[in-house]
Amino acid sequence: QYKSPFKFADGTDAYLYSPYDEASVDLHFKWMKEYGIDGVHMQRFVGEIKPSNAAGKRHFNKVLGNALKAAKKYGRAISVMYDLSGCTSADLAYLVDDWKELQTLFKLSDNRENPTYLYHNGRPLVTIWGVGFSDGRRYTIDDVSKLVDKLKGTDNRYSIMLGVPYYWRTLGDDTEKSPALLDLIRKCDVVMPWAVGRFDSRSYNPGNVYNDNQWCKANKVSYVPAVFPVFSWGNMHNDP
């Protein structure tokens, strides 16, 4: 527990945990084992780890190191997920360098060093989250396509999961109206549509997931639906 700048209504200090502390992360993975949670995708926000942000990179590397150690100790799955939110096209160049650095620092592809690191189709898995959204991002589908080519290399050495909009297949609603997104998904290994905030109990259509999955089977791409329990925009905005 670490003292924070915040205070409770009665004037006492508020304390928070820190994932920089190995003990905090160890406890989280212990709980995962006890409650049947299989593992984690460790997010790395590319904007936080670029060379101009040494403190951010130091923090993310320390937390990842803590998590890899705890994943091994408690037998929980783990993989790296790059989040492109807030990136520019130029920032994406750092991602390849960072991934190579993680291989050196943590030996992610060494089965003895990291026996629970996630593999897909026999290759280590890395996720690139946030491509194809229609919210005015400062990088393009083509930028990400080139990034995928660099990560895979000539020997297709890694499996890549893409985090895409919920209506990616039809290029509808939250999705860029570009067929290039479907071409990009076809050359990756796994697709995970972002379902959060896209429907409620009245508007949910299970046919969308079914049709997504059929497309993936036809194009030999694995499909991972996202589930978001205990979340409500109403809670966030204090809306009764």
Side-chain angles (χ1 to χ4, degrees):
Q1 291 187 349
Y2 293 85
K3 184 179 176 181
S4 79
F6 305 106
K7 293 184 182 294
F8 291 108
D10 64 2
T12 58
D13 292 317
Y15 286 77
L16 300 171
Y17 86 93
S18 170
Y20 200 83
D21 188 327
E22 187 178 312
S24 299
V25 178
D26 184 272
L27 181 60
H28 287 166
F29 278 80
K30 178 175 182 285
W31 282 339
M32 279 190 260
K33 183 174 182 179
E34 290 175 353
Y35 292 98
I37 296 174
D38 298 304
V40 295
H41 295 295
M42 292 291 294
Q43 273 186 303
R44 286 175 77 80
F45 288 89
V46 178
E48 296 277 359
I49 59 169
K50 58 186 181 181
S52 60
N53 190 356
K57 185 158 189 168
R58 182 171 63 249
H59 176 85
F60 272 82
N61 284 359
K62 179 65 166 67
V63 177
L64 177 60
N66 294 343
L68 288 166
K69 184 175 180 179
K72 182 177 181 179
K73 179 178 177 180
Y74 295 106
R76 301 297 93 187
I78 189 167
S79 75
V80 171
M81 172 183 280
Y82 286 100
D83 192 319
L84 305 185
S85 301
C87 277
T88 65
S89 296
D91 292 334
L92 297 192
Y94 302 128
L95 194 156
V96 177
D97 293 336
D98 184 75
W99 178 244
K100 290 178 180 177
E101 186 178 319
L102 293 185
Q103 301 300 319
T104 302
L105 282 175
F106 299 113
K107 301 178 181 176
L108 297 181
S109 301
D110 184 330
N111 287 332
R112 281 182 285 190
E113 188 71 25
N114 293 293
T116 62
Y117 192 89
L118 279 174
Y119 276 59
H120 182 73
N121 291 336
R123 301 186 300 273
L125 179 72
V126 58
T127 301
I128 301 170
W129 194 94
V131 57
F133 288 84
S134 60
D135 54 2
R137 299 192 175 219
R138 294 179 294 164
Y139 53 88
T140 67
I141 293 170
D142 185 59
D143 290 333
V144 179
S145 182
K146 291 173 181 174
L147 175 62
V148 168
D149 290 339
K150 289 178 181 177
L151 285 171
K152 280 186 168 288
T154 56
D155 56 354
N156 198 27
R157 69 185 74 116
Y158 301 114
S159 286
I160 294 180
M161 180 164 77
L162 283 184
V164 299
Y166 189 64
Y167 297 102
W168 61 275
R169 177 178 44 82
T170 59
L171 305 180
D173 292 353
D174 58 352
T175 311
E176 249 186 90
K177 309 303 184 254
S178 172
L181 177 61
L182 300 178
D183 293 334
L184 171 58
I185 293 170
R186 285 186 186 97
K187 71 177 182 181
C188 292
D189 303 272
V190 190
V191 64
M192 184 181 68
W194 186 243
V196 178
R198 298 315 194 254
F199 54 81
D200 57 27
S201 58
R202 293 161 295 181
S203 62
Y204 174 62
N205 176 14
N208 190 66
V209 175
Y210 176 82
N211 290 328
D212 278 0
N213 202 31
Q214 293 302 108
W215 186 98
C216 286
K217 287 178 180 178
N219 289 276
K220 297 180 171 57
V221 177
S222 297
Y223 181 72
V224 176
V227 179
F228 51 103
V230 269
F231 176 84
S232 167
W233 291 113
N235 291 338
M236 177 179 283
H237 298 295
N238 195 29
D239 180 359

